[in-house]
Amino acid sequence: MKPHILIIYTGGTIGMIEDTESKVLKPFDFTHLMENVPKVKMLDYVIDNIQFAEPIDSSDMDIPHWQAIARHIVDNYENYDGFVVLHGTDTMAYTASALSFMLENLRKPVIITGSQLPIGEVRTDGEENLITALQIAAATDHAGRPVVQEVAILFENYLWRGNRSTKLSADNFNAFKSNNYPALAKIGLDIYYDFDALARPKSEPPLNPRYDMDPNVASIDLFPGPTETALRHQLSIPGVKGIVLRTYGAGNAPTAKWFHDAIREAIERGVIILNVTQCSNGAVLQRYEGGEKLSSLGVISGRDITYEAAITKLMFLLGMGLSPHAIRKYLNTALCGEVTVTPPSLRRSPHSRHYYE
Ligand code: ASP
């Protein structure tokens, strides 16, 4: 049996062409993209495709687009062995995180990729990324099970867990990284999978899609010298139910009383606040007075979650219409490998490959 793969083309640089007048890159259609990758025919796969009616630059990505991608996967889940989503790099990590939450109990590969240079350019990285993504989406183990059973980002030399990924470079072909989780695979002469890092679900419950996402989230970035007026404004944006508070280092924040009062009052009004570090690597550990105080006020530790996963997890949990108590519980739980919940004292050295088990 040939592997059956469904490509979902949303847009992004990979399929863009230069506008002859303005010289800016604009999304183009899927036929153009595939014409530029004749090598795909060398893969002995059955490949079908679906494309957005209007391919987009991923800076226009939003919740209805995520719902459309998720629906395409769900509607075609039984007919394909794997899915490849072609997407712009700018918001790829948000889409990967959102899909990982929406596609509960996913047991097939959803591989998201794109490129830094359009597929029609001589030095494009798009051809290699597309072909490798297709190979990963088709890969099975000795028992015929999909090697990848989660949402992942393939870019240049690495396969990353989608909800652990961040766009790192606007220039480098290795544009993505998981700062707090090992690569799921390294791409060299062969594709070398790390079976300790890949998600391996223990039971086989059926795919359980959840499409509702609540957009009423916001984020606050700390910097030295904030004013009380600005902070209070940000904490009381009309309609906002969940806030990602981007703190210093290991989750640290100012110790001033007015700061704590403003945070406490927001929590008393029912706003969920999730503490996520501004550092690209490491976790919120509440090692210092400022961070410890936040936790005593009811701010939830985001541990080592990425900003992208924090925002989309809040959207997801709020979208389920859960009580604040239940939302707090799930923010303290790894839903699909997005956060390390093992107490720091039980973790192995960060230099060990198994640190994030
Ligand atoms: N602006 C593009 C996008 O995100 C960038 C890219 O695809 O690399 O759609």
Side-chain angles (χ1 to χ4, degrees):
M1 276 283 281
K2 293 180 182 185
H4 284 54
I5 309 294
L6 180 65
I7 299 179
I8 301 167
Y9 172 56
T10 71
T13 298
I14 191 163
M16 289 188 185
I17 54 170
E18 200 176 88
D19 184 275
T20 38
E21 272 169 33
S22 66
K23 302 286 175 216
V24 298
L25 289 173
K26 295 213 168 131
F28 206 59
D29 74 3
F30 187 75
T31 323
H32 151 81
L33 196 153
M34 291 310 268
E35 276 168 6
N36 279 281
V37 203
K39 274 191 208 154
V40 164
K41 295 198 189 79
M42 291 167 72
L43 300 170
D44 199 15
Y45 302 165
V46 176
I47 300 174
D48 294 325
N49 70 80
I50 292 176
Q51 67 166 309
F52 274 13
E54 275 193 34
I56 57 166
D57 182 299
S58 78
S59 47
D60 284 322
M61 191 54 65
D62 60 14
I63 292 173
H65 290 124
W66 292 339
Q67 290 164 333
I69 301 169
R71 276 185 210 284
H72 288 318
I73 294 169
V74 173
D75 292 349
N76 292 287
Y77 195 68
E78 296 307 329
N79 301 329
Y80 292 90
D81 300 299
F83 302 85
V84 170
V85 180
L86 297 179
H87 195 290
T89 57
D90 291 343
T91 60
M92 190 182 282
Y94 293 89
T95 297
S97 301
L99 290 178
S100 75
F101 298 123
M102 295 165 99
L103 299 171
E104 188 180 304
N105 302 334
L106 182 72
R107 296 292 178 266
K108 290 191 178 181
V110 173
I111 311 300
I112 310 184
T113 195
S115 67
Q116 295 280 44
L117 283 175
I119 201 98
E121 292 202 12
V122 184
R123 289 179 51 250
T124 186
D125 50 329
E127 179 175 33
E128 202 177 297
N129 284 347
L130 173 56
I131 288 173
T132 311
L134 288 165
Q135 289 183 318
I136 292 172
T140 50
D141 65 14
H142 58 277
R145 290 173 300 233
V147 171
V148 178
Q149 302 184 22
E150 57 187 298
V151 179
I153 288 182
L154 177 278
F155 227 84
E156 192 72 1
N157 297 119
Y158 297 95
L159 182 73
W160 304 108
R161 173 163 296 163
N163 57 32
R164 291 284 196 157
S165 307
T166 297
K167 183 173 177 182
L168 196 75
S169 172
D171 179 61
N172 202 306
F173 283 164
N174 270 311
F176 286 85
K177 187 148 196 241
S178 297
N179 287 303
N180 285 327
Y181 198 79
L184 304 181
K186 292 197 178 121
I187 322 301
L189 286 183
D190 211 334
I191 300 171
Y192 305 99
Y193 293 100
D194 182 342
F195 286 88
D196 289 330
L198 285 159
R200 280 291 167 265
K202 289 185 190 71
S203 59
E204 289 278 330
L207 182 69
N208 184 25
R210 299 178 189 271
Y211 299 107
D212 294 331
M213 300 283 271
D214 189 330
N216 288 302
V217 301
S219 65
I220 299 178
D221 245 297
L222 292 186
F223 56 87
T227 66
E228 181 172 354
T229 322
L231 180 75
R232 284 190 177 276
H233 244 82
Q234 289 172 299
L235 287 167
S236 41
I237 299 169
V240 163
K241 301 175 200 157
I243 292 177
V244 174
L245 180 65
R246 299 192 69 225
T247 56
Y248 307 127
N252 214 5
T255 53
K257 184 172 177 307
W258 66 261
F259 184 86
H260 295 146
D261 287 346
I263 298 278
R264 186 177 9 81
E265 286 163 29
I267 292 172
E268 281 166 4
R269 289 197 303 275
V271 178
I272 306 281
I273 306 184
L274 184 62
N275 183 353
V276 174
T277 175
Q278 291 173 3
C279 293
S280 45
N281 173 243
V284 168
L285 296 169
Q286 270 123 234
R287 288 172 70 197
Y288 302 94
E289 197 190 335
E292 172 37 44
K293 182 72 186 170
L294 286 184
S295 131
S296 71
L297 293 173
V299 173
I300 303 153
S301 168
R303 300 178 166 88
D304 62 353
I305 198 166
T306 61
Y307 176 69
E308 295 88 335
I311 287 282
T312 50
K313 188 172 179 179
L314 272 177
M315 287 176 160
F316 174 74
L317 294 175
L318 289 165
M320 285 172 75
L322 299 169
S323 67
H325 174 76
I327 293 179
R328 300 178 78 80
K329 182 178 129 201
Y330 289 123
L331 286 173
N332 281 307
T333 310
L335 300 179
C336 42
E338 74 281 7
V339 62
T340 310
V341 287
T342 322
S345 57
L346 294 181
R347 289 187 208 150
R348 299 187 203 173
S349 148
H351 305 294
S352 152
R353 223 162 49 92
H354 302 288
Y355 175 54
Y356 299 102
E357 280 171 342

